[in-house]
Amino acid sequence: MKQADAELSPLDRAIVNAFQGGFPVVERPFEPAAAALRERGVDVSATDLCERVRTLDEDGVLSRFGALVNAEEIGGTATLVAMHAPPERFDEVAEQVNAHREVAHNYEREHPHLNMWFVVSVADEARVDEVLGEIEDETGQETYNMPKRHEFHVGAKFLLDGPVPDGDLDLSHLGSDVEPTDERTITPDERDLVLEIQGGLPITETPYADVADALGQDTEWVVATIKRFNLEGKVRRVGVIPNHYALGYSENGMTVWNVPDDLVMEVGPEIAALDFVTHCYRRPRHEGVWPYNFFAMTHGRSEAESEERIERVREVMGEYWEVGDDWDTLFSTRILKKTGIRLDERAAANTE
């Protein structure tokens, strides 16, 4: 992976800024997308826009192009877990943890005790305790489960200097109208669609038609279902998913706070409104080990920018309570595993 930020053209920057959400879900989406860029002063055709998105994907500037599936709404559950890995056994413990297929992400983080943080993703919530029991038996280390109690925000944008600097281009309204449902389960056809698109859409001028061909479905059904999933929250957004490291957002700080319980629901939306906070959750404390109940993830392009953003979070917190030393920042120092959330079992378990 190369540091791409400085090498990006104005068109590249326009693509990254404009399409981190709200990409059209219509049969030929690059045509209205290119037209919208031209209205913002970026001269590009649909064909050239598609080719440029493909190149950005191939060069690693994008993690992928397509629909960001909300795994929690598809089925099963995921939880954040912390543990201590003794320094002299750290790599051994990481190997034991990572060997579990249920572990989707694993990071080494700066903390005097809880230095390993991983995500467990399962189809059946009861399986979480089983997996953690197996990990404790194998490693000899206690695990601390920190499931999400409340989600305030997920998915801030990684914006660059250049055209469409506010990232405010939303074309999700285009195309036919669809009505959301309150169905909690999905159909077999919808399950197959989720599994087909979870890794990204084909980067062609007709991505939804290509998905339809792969599934043996009508393009209209694919378009309507993805649009409906977007309204229902099963898809968080459709567009380009940047590789934030390649864009220079290398400082990944997990800020944690001991917010008074009676203020959490008031403070949460205020922190979530900060445009550089990418994830914001309420999680449980662990008495004697972990005093923090509020998590806010920030990203910066330099240590100084990251510190400024963390200070801004502290300032907002300070408007509601006397923060003092009741907080910390855990920077990631190493990615130990990153396979993404596997949706096959989770979607299958929630298929009607």
Side-chain angles (χ1 to χ4, degrees):
M1 179 189 69
K2 60 184 179 181
Q3 179 81 16
D5 183 14
E7 303 172 15
L8 297 181
S9 70
L11 174 58
D12 296 335
R13 292 167 180 269
I15 291 169
V16 170
N17 286 346
F19 298 125
Q20 291 185 45
F23 198 78
V25 186
V26 296
E27 186 167 353
R28 300 186 69 87
F30 284 93
E31 293 178 358
L37 284 184
R38 291 195 295 271
E39 290 177 2
R40 297 290 187 101
V42 181
D43 188 18
V44 65
S45 68
T47 298
D48 289 344
L49 177 58
C50 180
E51 289 179 355
R52 198 62 209 152
V53 170
R54 187 183 305 118
T55 299
L56 291 173
D57 182 68
E58 291 171 351
D59 288 349
V61 178
L62 306 180
S63 296
R64 64 183 183 278
F65 161 76
L68 185 60
V69 177
N70 183 353
E72 184 177 0
E73 293 297 320
I74 296 301
T77 191
T79 189
L80 179 66
V81 182
M83 69 182 294
H84 172 69
E88 68 278 7
R89 295 180 51 226
F90 190 92
D91 290 343
E92 174 194 350
V93 171
E95 205 170 295
Q96 291 171 317
V97 171
N98 292 347
H100 290 263
R101 62 189 304 276
E102 296 88 353
V103 173
H105 311 298
N106 191 3
Y107 288 82
E108 179 181 16
R109 291 192 177 276
E110 295 176 343
H111 188 268
H113 184 64
L114 299 181
N115 55 356
M116 186 175 293
W117 292 76
F118 54 94
V119 172
V120 171
S121 172
V122 293
D124 180 0
E125 189 171 354
R127 178 72 179 129
V128 170
D129 288 340
E130 295 175 6
V131 172
L132 297 187
E134 292 167 5
I135 288 173
E136 290 184 349
D137 289 344
E138 293 162 4
T139 63
Q141 300 297 315
E142 189 170 355
T143 61
Y144 300 92
N145 188 13
M146 301 186 192
K148 179 170 52 180
R149 297 297 189 215
H150 188 88
E151 176 183 302
F152 294 102
H153 177 69
V154 174
K157 296 179 178 179
F158 297 98
L159 299 176
L160 302 171
D161 296 332
V164 202
D166 296 326
D168 58 347
L169 188 57
D170 186 355
L171 304 176
S172 59
H173 62 282
L174 297 179
S176 57
D177 292 333
V178 296
E179 290 293 327
T181 72
D182 57 4
E183 294 290 335
R184 300 299 299 168
T185 58
I186 57 178
T187 68
D189 286 343
E190 290 169 348
R191 175 202 60 211
D192 293 344
L193 174 62
V194 167
L195 299 184
E196 182 68 25
I197 67 174
Q198 67 171 326
L201 293 169
I203 307 178
T204 70
E205 292 190 53
T206 56
Y208 307 112
D210 295 341
V211 169
D213 287 344
L215 295 174
Q217 294 281 1
D218 294 331
T219 303
E220 293 79 5
W221 178 84
V222 169
V223 166
T225 304
I226 292 176
K227 285 196 71 171
R228 177 168 58 80
F229 276 8
N230 203 3
L231 292 173
E232 294 171 352
K234 294 181 176 70
V235 165
R236 291 191 184 274
R237 61 186 183 273
V238 180
V240 299
I241 315 298
N243 177 346
H244 61 271
Y245 291 105
L247 297 183
Y249 286 89
S250 58
E251 295 294 318
N252 168 349
M254 186 173 75
T255 70
V256 292
W257 310 79
N258 184 14
V259 180
D261 289 335
D262 60 342
L263 293 176
V264 173
M265 300 307 293
E266 186 177 359
V267 170
E270 297 300 317
I271 302 301
L274 298 172
D275 60 7
F276 53 81
V277 171
T278 59
H279 302 75
C280 191
Y281 304 113
R282 181 178 189 174
R283 297 187 186 277
R285 303 179 181 91
H286 286 270
E287 188 174 355
V289 178
W290 185 254
Y292 308 111
N293 62 337
F294 190 92
F295 289 59
M297 185 71 73
T298 68
H299 292 77
R301 285 168 287 191
S302 68
E303 186 174 335
E305 182 178 63
S306 185
E307 289 176 355
E308 289 173 5
R309 292 179 167 186
I310 292 169
E311 175 60 21
R312 178 60 185 142
V313 174
R314 194 197 65 77
E315 288 173 356
V316 174
M317 288 284 190
E319 295 173 6
Y320 291 86
W321 57 289
E322 188 65 41
V323 176
D325 295 328
D326 254 358
W327 68 285
D328 200 356
T329 302
L330 281 67
F331 287 100
S332 63
T333 53
R334 194 169 18 148
I335 300 174
L336 305 172
K337 183 178 182 181
K338 192 169 186 177
T339 60
I341 301 294
R342 294 186 179 91
L343 284 175
D344 49 356
E345 293 179 5
R346 290 178 61 170
N350 196 40
T351 300
E352 63 185 24

